[in-house]
């Protein structure tokens, strides 16, 4: 299967996944026109979308959800808490509950979800598995802190999308008031570069071929700081794959996700 990060950061997040059995959009944190334009620039389309999965209700993840559901006519999967928080926006959409106790089969992929500590109604991290190939993608942003349940969910993923939101020093020196800085760095906020590096090292395994750093703060982080912190920790474990940093304003090239091997064509 292929994944395309359409954009990730404090102003919007979206990921397009194309599997043998269909296409899924994870989060819709941009207007519909922006999502469609970015998908097209990456050689993809939203026209045949089979489902929209939401990790939580915050605008940078769900801003375009109602428009996507209406225009495409696809069901919206999310936790019960997220659906309730978005009930006023998704009143005309086909909503389906994403279980956090068992896998949810949405056709294109199997979805496993675990609740995170982020300050939303019922936010989740995800593991998406393509049934035909067994390839897996782990998605963990807006997690606040990593827990044993999250580690169990994401361990063994072939491709990992992991938030590296802020650099500790830049956050302390940044423009936010103390209350906001405390919230960002706290257990209901976001992972720092250092926390992301430790988490990536914990989740490393020999067949992990791609790590994508997502949800970087534009004010309190820099791509090179996030990359250096996480790559250093992964390299120490023996990581031989590719590390990418997602941009807020443009999509990454499509990433092929394969099971059980380091796909050499990823690194051409």
């Amino acid at each position: 299967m292929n994944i395309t990060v359409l954009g990730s950061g404090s102003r919007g997040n979206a990921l397009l996944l194309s599997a043998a059995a269909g296409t899924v959009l994870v989060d819709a944190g941009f207007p519909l026109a922006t999502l469609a334009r970015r998908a097209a620039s990456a050689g993809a389309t939203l026209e045949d979308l089979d489902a929209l999965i939401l990790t939580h209700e915050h605008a940078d993840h769900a801003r375009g959800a109602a428009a996507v559901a209406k225009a495409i006519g696809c069901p919206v999967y999310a936790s019960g808490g997220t659906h309730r928080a978005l009930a006023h926006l998704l009143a005309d959409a086909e909503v389906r509950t994403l279980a956090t106790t068992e896998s949810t089969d949405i056709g294109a992929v199997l979805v496993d979800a675990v609740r995170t500590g982020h300050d939303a109604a019922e936010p989740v991290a995800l593991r998406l598995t393509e049934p035909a190939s067994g390839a897996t993608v782990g998605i963990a942003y807006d997690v606040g802190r990593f827990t044993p349940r999250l580690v169990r969910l994401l361990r063994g993923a072939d491709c990992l999308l992991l938030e590296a939101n802020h650099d500790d020093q830049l956050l302390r020196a940044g423009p936010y008031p103390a209350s906001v800085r405390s919230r960002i760095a706290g257990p209901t906020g976001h992972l720092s570069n250092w926390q992301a590096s430790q988490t990536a090292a914990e989740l490393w395994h020999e067949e992990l071929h791609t790590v994508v750093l997502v949800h970087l703060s534009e004010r309190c982080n820099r791509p090179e700081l996030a990359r250096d912190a996480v790559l250093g920790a992964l390299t120490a474990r023996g990581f031989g794959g590719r590390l990418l940093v997602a941009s807020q304003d443009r999509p990454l090239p499509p990433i092929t996700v394969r099971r059980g091997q380091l796909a050499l064509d990823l690194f051409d």
Side-chain angles (χ1 to χ4, degrees):
M1 63 182 169
N2 291 325
I3 61 170
T4 303
V5 181
L6 300 180
S8 184
S10 301
R11 291 184 284 111
N13 297 272
L15 163 72
L16 192 64
L17 183 149
S18 299
T23 304
V24 172
L25 183 67
V26 179
D27 283 343
F30 303 96
L32 176 60
T34 301
L35 291 167
R37 183 175 66 252
R38 292 191 183 188
S41 72
T45 178
L46 300 181
E47 294 178 1
D48 299 322
L49 199 64
D50 294 288
L52 167 61
I53 304 172
L54 297 177
T55 59
H56 62 294
E57 76 276 10
H58 289 168
D60 59 326
H61 295 264
R63 179 180 291 108
V68 168
K70 180 179 180 180
I72 310 299
C74 62
V76 179
Y77 288 84
S79 68
T82 298
H83 277 315
R84 288 189 292 273
L86 293 173
H88 59 298
L89 294 177
L90 299 177
D92 297 326
E94 178 185 356
V95 295
R96 300 178 184 178
T97 299
L98 192 63
T100 56
T101 57
E102 60 185 2
S103 298
T104 301
D105 186 349
I106 66 172
V109 289
L110 292 174
V111 184
D112 291 279
V114 164
R115 183 166 182 168
T116 73
H118 191 56
D119 53 1
E122 191 180 357
V124 293
L126 303 170
R127 184 178 71 231
L128 308 179
T129 304
E130 182 182 36
S133 67
T136 58
V137 176
I139 303 172
Y141 42 33
D142 294 67
V143 300
R145 61 186 177 87
F146 249 76
T147 65
R149 291 187 68 196
L150 280 171
V151 171
R152 288 193 295 271
L153 176 78
L154 300 171
R155 192 182 298 281
D158 302 295
C159 175
L160 179 65
L161 279 73
L162 178 65
E163 89 164 331
N165 177 257
H166 58 277
D167 172 80
D168 288 318
Q169 292 185 356
L170 290 182
L171 178 63
R172 285 194 294 269
Y176 298 118
S179 60
V180 175
R181 296 198 301 270
S182 179
R183 176 256 172 188
I184 291 172
T188 63
H190 298 276
L191 296 184
S192 69
N193 292 342
W194 182 84
Q195 289 171 312
S197 73
Q198 300 307 295
T199 300
E202 173 71 15
L203 293 173
W204 173 85
H205 61 97
E206 290 185 352
E207 302 299 339
L208 175 64
H209 60 64
T210 304
V211 175
V212 185
L213 303 182
V214 293
H215 218 300
L216 272 69
S217 168
E218 293 179 291
R219 294 184 175 185
C220 300
N221 208 353
R222 294 198 297 269
E224 63 272 19
L225 295 177
R227 178 181 175 84
D228 289 350
V230 176
L231 185 59
L234 282 170
T235 301
R237 294 297 308 274
F239 179 65
R242 182 169 66 168
L243 178 67
L244 305 173
V245 181
S247 168
Q248 176 70 93
D249 297 315
R250 60 185 180 277
L252 288 176
I255 300 166
T256 299
V257 182
R258 297 178 180 172
R259 182 62 180 164
Q261 63 180 2
L262 285 172
L264 296 180
D265 59 343
L266 288 173
F267 314 114
D268 291 342

